[in-house]
Amino acid sequence: MTQSTDAALEPSDAATTIGRARLPLVVPLLTLGTFLMITTEYIVAGLLQEIAADLQVGVAQVGLLITAFAVGMIVGSPVMALATLRLPRRATLVLALVVFAIGHVIAALSESFTLVLVARVITALAAGAFWAVAAVVATTAAGPANSTRALGVMMSGVGLATVAGVPLGAFAGQLLGWRGTFWALAALAALAAPVIAKFTPADEDGGVPSVRRELRAVATGRMAILIVATVLATGGYMTAFSYLSPLATDRAGIPGWAVPLVFVVFGVGAIIGTNLAGRFADKRPLTTFVTTTAATVMIMLLLIPLSTSATATFALMFLLGIAGMGVPPVGTGLAVRFAAAAPTLAAAISVSAFNGGTAIGTWFGASALESSLGVIGPLTVAIAMAVLGLITLTVMATLRLTRAADDADVQVNAQCVPAQP
């Protein structure tokens, strides 16, 4: 069923021939941006005690910095996509990186927790704007035949942040203080801005943008079902990831000092998963989405009995990184195809869906952790969300909603893509 449904989204032979060329340099450069955005989102978790001691607040209160960033991404991504609608994409990327840097500078200089919290929200708004526009720049530069592959490469920054950014940031925080880590992130963003600006192609003349037209393009039934599926699928694997630490220590018997290695293993899998999914999803997007989500369900089901073994936990978290992190590029790619007339807003809504799924899953996971289920409680929530996501994707395939992305959408998408050299 999904193969026939996917057929309507396959690129033409000519586009496929063009798509065999190497990805434009701007695509891997945008990976640096996603690396910075994810590193700053997760880094607070590794600096909780340092920040709490320095600002003289409780550790639980510092945890609000994580929540504030997530809320800023959920709300800010679509809002900033509309607010910057009339700006050239190159200018939006540069502005987002500059605001990102300023937000970290404000936080690093502040002695007030409230001001740091405000700075985190500002940073999240910039991150949301960057993600949405970067997704469109990557897919447009790569062409329709390689659009999801380009998203996979761009989103490799998520895995890189997990493997290197967060551990190095936490280590730097112990040596230089949390402010030193924030200064480093600000400096990297400031250095990345002119480089990304240089290699970002200029926008094609697509007429005067219209907020009403953008909203009309995303306000469709197929987009609604896709977003629900994305929220549920993401909430599944990210809930398991978020509560990995107690599972590893209390159930698998992994010593506390080795827990970061489990996150590194997940990150390595994530790098592989985003690239693999990106390659397959250009021809079979829905099939890839269903496969990755089904794989997360199977892996998390295996984690319940096998997480008593440290070796099995390491292996299964590696596989979960591969399967789970295949969801973001596929979900974003489908959103951009479904709302081809409003690709930036579609990508922004997809970003909100990822963060929304994480927020919902971790909230329910926290309650499950305190229940009689204990450390496998969050896994139970994760499996339930992923199964619901799989059911939603099955409904999408059964109704052949992707067939609605027929020649009309493909033509609009093709008009947005510049000719490849």
Side-chain angles (χ1 to χ4, degrees):
M1 178 68 71
T2 53
Q3 289 186 352
S4 62
T5 322
D6 282 333
L9 291 173
E10 288 186 27
S12 65
D13 292 339
T16 303
T17 302
I18 292 172
R20 293 194 183 108
R22 192 182 341 183
L23 291 175
L25 181 58
V26 69
V27 176
L29 285 176
L30 291 171
T31 303
L32 174 59
T34 58
F35 167 80
L36 292 174
M37 306 303 157
I38 295 301
T39 297
T40 199
E41 182 171 7
Y42 293 164
I43 194 61
V44 171
L47 300 172
L48 284 174
Q49 293 177 324
E50 289 84 354
I51 297 174
D54 186 30
L55 297 179
Q56 298 182 346
V57 296
V59 172
Q61 191 173 353
V62 176
L64 292 176
L65 298 178
I66 302 174
T67 306
F69 195 95
V71 172
M73 286 283 283
I74 294 169
V75 178
S77 293
V79 170
M80 294 305 296
L82 292 174
T84 60
L85 189 59
R86 295 178 184 272
L87 282 179
R89 289 169 185 159
R90 178 188 295 158
T92 303
L93 289 176
V94 172
L95 180 61
L97 287 167
V98 170
V99 173
F100 179 93
I102 292 172
H104 283 83
V105 169
I106 292 173
L109 291 174
S110 177
E111 298 294 336
S112 164
F113 175 78
T114 301
L115 191 55
V116 174
L117 188 67
V118 172
R120 286 287 288 178
V121 174
I122 293 172
T123 304
L125 294 176
F130 182 91
W131 268 87
V133 176
V136 178
V137 170
T139 54
T140 301
N146 277 326
S147 59
T148 312
R149 176 188 164 203
L151 285 172
V153 172
M154 188 194 89
M155 292 183 182
S156 296
V158 177
L160 288 172
T162 309
V163 171
V166 174
L168 288 176
F171 181 67
Q174 293 176 359
L175 291 179
L176 306 173
W178 69 273
R179 299 176 190 274
T181 300
F182 275 52
W183 278 112
L185 288 168
L188 288 173
L191 291 173
V195 177
I196 290 176
K198 180 178 180 180
F199 291 97
T200 299
D203 295 353
E204 287 194 336
D205 186 10
V208 179
S210 166
V211 172
R212 181 177 297 178
R213 186 166 61 245
E214 295 269 319
L215 293 173
R216 188 164 55 245
V218 299
T220 63
R222 57 183 174 167
M223 272 292 290
I225 294 179
L226 173 64
I227 295 307
V228 170
T230 302
V231 167
L232 292 169
T234 304
Y237 73 87
M238 282 304 297
T239 300
F241 171 80
S242 299
Y243 293 97
L244 169 60
S245 182
L247 183 77
T249 55
D250 298 351
R251 188 169 172 83
I254 297 173
W257 64 265
V259 170
L261 297 179
V262 188
F263 288 97
V264 169
V265 165
F266 179 92
V268 173
I271 295 172
I272 297 171
T274 52
N275 284 278
L276 280 179
R279 287 180 177 274
F280 286 113
D282 277 316
K283 294 195 69 175
R284 294 279 184 248
L286 188 56
T287 300
T288 306
F289 205 159
V290 170
T291 301
T292 54
T293 305
T296 64
V297 173
M298 293 178 61
I299 293 165
M300 291 187 296
L301 282 171
L302 288 173
L303 262 174
I304 291 180
L306 298 181
S307 57
T308 53
S309 163
T311 302
T313 300
F314 272 98
L316 289 172
M317 289 309 298
F318 172 70
L319 294 175
L320 186 62
I322 294 176
M325 288 309 298
V327 171
V330 181
T332 304
L334 275 173
V336 170
R337 293 189 189 197
F338 282 3
T344 304
L345 182 57
I349 292 174
S350 187
V351 171
S352 295
F354 302 141
N355 285 275
T358 302
I360 294 170
T362 51
W363 188 81
F364 280 107
S367 300
L369 184 64
E370 298 297 325
S371 72
S372 59
L373 293 172
V375 292
I376 65 169
L379 264 180
T380 306
V381 172
I383 292 167
M385 290 188 71
V387 168
L388 290 174
L390 193 58
I391 292 172
T392 307
L393 289 170
T394 303
V395 170
M396 181 182 290
T398 303
L399 297 178
R400 301 193 177 189
L401 290 180
T402 53
R403 189 175 293 279
D406 52 13
D407 295 339
D409 275 359
V410 173
Q411 288 172 5
V412 173
N413 224 2
Q415 291 170 2
C416 298
V417 179
Q420 302 293 311

